Amino acid sequence: MRSGADWLVCAPQEEQEAFLEGLSEHALCALPWLFEFWALPHQLPPAGDWKTWVILGGRGAGKTRAGAEWVRAQVEGGRPGDPGRSRRVALVGETFDQVRDVMVFGDSGIIACSPPDRRPGWHAGKRQLEWPNGAIAQAFSAQEPEALRGPQFDAAWVDELAKWRKAEETWSMLQFGLRLGENPQQCVTTTPRDVQVLKALLKRDSTVVTTAPTEANRANLARSFLEEIRARYDGTRLGRQELDGVLIEETEGALWTSARIEAARVETAPELDRIVVAVDPPVTGNSGSDECGIVVVGAVMKGDPKDWLAYVLEDASVAAASPLQWAHAAVAAMDRHGADRLVAEVNQGGDLVRTVLNQIDPMLPYKAVRARHGKAARAEPVAALYEQGRVRHVRGLGELEDQMCRMSTRGYAGKGSPDRVDALVWAMTELLLDPAAQFRRPSIRTL
């Protein structure tokens, strides 16, 4: 779906000129203020009967502009003095300064977005905006939830809900006050975070959601900004949240956390002494199959095995693959990284795994492994390696890291099977755990 602005920019010059010349003087003057014409798809409210519209977006994705324009659409009438749909609006941000400096006076705030004949005035003492038609928007801080006890509204714009320290209390107070008019609605603009108030809101039937990454608004962002943040965060779990606008949830009692994984992040791996590709094949090879986990890990093997370091180099997993497809993907990963061995779990496939791999390369250095414990039990010793600071992650492992953060001592809290984590576990076992166990095993003396 393209905006009118996209069409206008991409149209041939003669069509652009014909379009603009066909507008009346009043229409031409109004065009810069018609947000529906310029907006990106995620900045426009969805159709239908909803109570809350949540805009989840990366940094700079245009969330603030969308919220400000939604408020405009609620309070403005056909002419400057005409009443709009709403007359009492709550503006709630992390702090009062954030409301004033971002939501009201910011470059994408309400005042900057409003045409001169409809621009509201700011009354600092009352902490409110007032439009020429009499509509009022009051500013509130999420640090003062009690201030929302008493006032009532027919619309609300909530900014950065996921950052609020008193989120649950403030949100509840706002809901009690949102009681005027036939159908009071609210718009929530936020970068996603793993907080209960946001997760609960997203699950409600009365909530609609639009999402967008930072890149969606690249035409309005400095190139240097995009280059810098992508260089710093691209391919990381934090980047998926802050740049792609993806809600990254943490599982209670998880074996891995985002903080621990980010602490293990490196830009590049050093020269490695050994590299393995580990494979966790799916049971079947059709559209309903689990993924085939394929993970590449290398190790620096200096000194005592308990001091060796592992580097996770690539998640080459493939979805719903036939045996021949995942085998080709695994062998290709070996070739890319110059791996020494392919390790594959054979609980489900048995001899089929070796047979398929040998069809591609009969001389493939291959080791079959068989699981004797549950997935969580096998993963715990690998999680301990992370706690010891013996594992590093390069960028680009987001889906693997998501699975890791959903694995707990009670099992996997995600959908399907954690095939990427399984492959990681086999690789770590081959490179670090088994050698350390051999080193610690006492020798048998002959009497």
Side-chain angles (χ1 to χ4, degrees):
M1 177 180 177
R2 298 199 308 171
S3 67
D6 289 335
W7 168 81
L8 186 60
V9 170
C10 297
Q13 184 176 352
E14 58 271 20
E15 291 187 25
Q16 294 178 4
E17 293 175 352
F19 171 76
L20 295 174
E21 290 173 359
L23 298 177
S24 67
E25 181 178 353
H26 291 296
L28 192 60
C29 291
L31 185 60
W33 308 102
L34 297 178
F35 187 60
E36 292 82 357
F37 183 82
W38 304 101
L40 297 167
H42 71 276
Q43 294 178 306
L44 295 175
D49 183 20
W50 48 265
K51 170 70 178 293
T52 307
W53 171 30
V54 178
I55 307 173
L56 293 179
R59 302 287 185 91
K63 303 184 297 296
T64 301
R65 178 67 185 273
E69 293 287 357
W70 181 79
V71 171
R72 274 192 60 204
Q74 302 310 299
V75 301
E76 291 181 4
R79 293 172 298 182
D82 291 348
R85 177 182 176 277
S86 300
R87 295 186 61 80
R88 294 293 181 270
V89 182
L91 306 176
V92 191
E94 183 182 10
T95 65
F96 171 71
D97 288 348
Q98 287 288 315
V99 176
R100 182 192 60 211
D101 298 341
V102 177
M103 301 171 72
V104 175
F105 285 103
D107 292 340
S108 299
I110 294 171
I111 290 179
C113 295
S114 299
D117 61 345
R118 299 162 188 262
R119 188 165 295 154
W122 172 249
H123 302 284
K126 297 180 180 179
R127 295 187 174 186
Q128 69 181 32
L129 285 168
E130 184 172 356
W131 276 262
N133 64 5
I136 290 174
Q138 292 179 260
F140 296 91
S141 166
Q143 295 184 351
E144 303 172 357
E146 287 299 312
L148 284 159
R149 187 184 295 273
Q152 52 187 357
F153 317 98
D154 50 19
W157 173 20
V158 168
D159 190 47
E160 294 298 353
L161 171 65
K163 291 174 60 181
W164 293 1
R165 291 186 179 181
K166 299 181 179 180
E168 296 283 356
E169 188 177 356
T170 304
W171 179 258
S172 295
M173 288 297 100
L174 176 61
Q175 302 316 296
F176 286 128
L178 200 62
R179 56 180 183 258
L180 295 180
E182 295 182 2
N183 182 31
Q185 294 178 312
Q186 54 197 342
C187 174
V188 177
T189 53
T190 188
T191 301
R193 285 188 179 182
D194 185 23
V195 294
Q196 184 57 38
V197 66
L198 178 60
K199 292 190 291 185
L201 177 60
L202 294 176
K203 292 177 182 178
R204 290 179 186 150
D205 293 337
S206 58
T207 298
V208 293
V209 182
T210 58
T211 62
T214 299
E215 292 284 349
N217 196 34
R218 60 186 177 275
N220 298 308
L221 300 172
R223 179 179 296 181
S224 60
F225 166 77
L226 289 172
E227 291 174 351
E228 174 65 21
I229 61 172
R230 282 297 176 190
R232 182 174 298 180
Y233 298 113
D234 199 20
T236 69
R237 188 171 165 85
L238 182 61
R240 296 188 69 211
Q241 172 180 285
E242 299 295 322
L243 302 183
D244 297 334
V246 176
L247 177 60
I248 305 297
E249 297 188 54
E250 302 280 3
T251 299
E252 185 178 354
L255 296 177
W256 290 274
T257 65
S258 293
R260 177 159 291 148
I261 291 172
E262 290 303 325
R265 186 80 58 199
V266 294
E267 293 300 321
T268 58
E271 184 176 348
L272 300 167
D273 298 305
R274 189 170 179 232
I275 298 174
V276 301
V277 173
V279 181
D280 181 57
V283 178
T284 58
N286 54 54
S287 59
S289 301
D290 292 323
E291 295 175 316
C292 176
I294 304 173
V295 174
V296 185
V297 183
V300 175
M301 308 165 73
K302 307 297 185 186
D304 191 318
K306 66 180 176 59
D307 297 324
W308 293 356
L309 294 178
Y311 290 78
V312 185
L313 305 175
E314 183 185 358
D315 176 8
S317 303
V318 289
S322 69
L324 203 56
Q325 286 175 319
W326 64 250
H328 274 293
V331 173
M334 289 192 71
D335 293 340
R336 281 195 300 275
H337 294 276
D340 303 282
R341 176 176 286 184
L342 188 146
V343 178
E345 182 181 318
V346 297
N347 283 55
Q348 305 295 342
D351 292 337
L352 173 64
V353 175
R354 178 186 285 276
T355 300
V356 173
L357 290 168
N358 283 344
Q359 290 180 29
I360 301 171
D361 184 356
M363 303 301 293
L364 186 76
Y366 165 80
K367 178 180 179 180
V369 291
R370 188 174 296 275
R372 292 179 173 83
H373 304 285
K375 296 179 185 294
R378 298 199 307 272
E380 285 188 65
V382 176
L385 295 174
Y386 283 77
E387 293 181 16
Q388 297 163 9
R390 296 180 57 197
V391 185
R392 306 287 185 267
H393 277 210
V394 300
R395 296 174 183 270
L397 304 171
E399 291 182 274
L400 167 62
E401 292 166 358
D402 284 351
Q403 282 195 358
M404 292 168 67
C405 292
R406 293 191 179 100
M407 177 65 74
S408 75
T409 54
R410 297 185 299 276
Y412 183 57
K415 295 181 179 179
S417 177
D419 303 287
R420 298 167 193 262
V421 173
D422 271 355
L424 173 73
V425 167
W426 288 123
M428 291 294 182
T429 301
E430 172 70 16
L431 286 173
L432 298 189
L433 295 177
D434 281 353
Q438 292 290 337
F439 183 80
R440 291 193 300 268
R441 188 171 298 158
S443 60
I444 301 176
R445 294 187 301 167
T446 303
L447 300 178

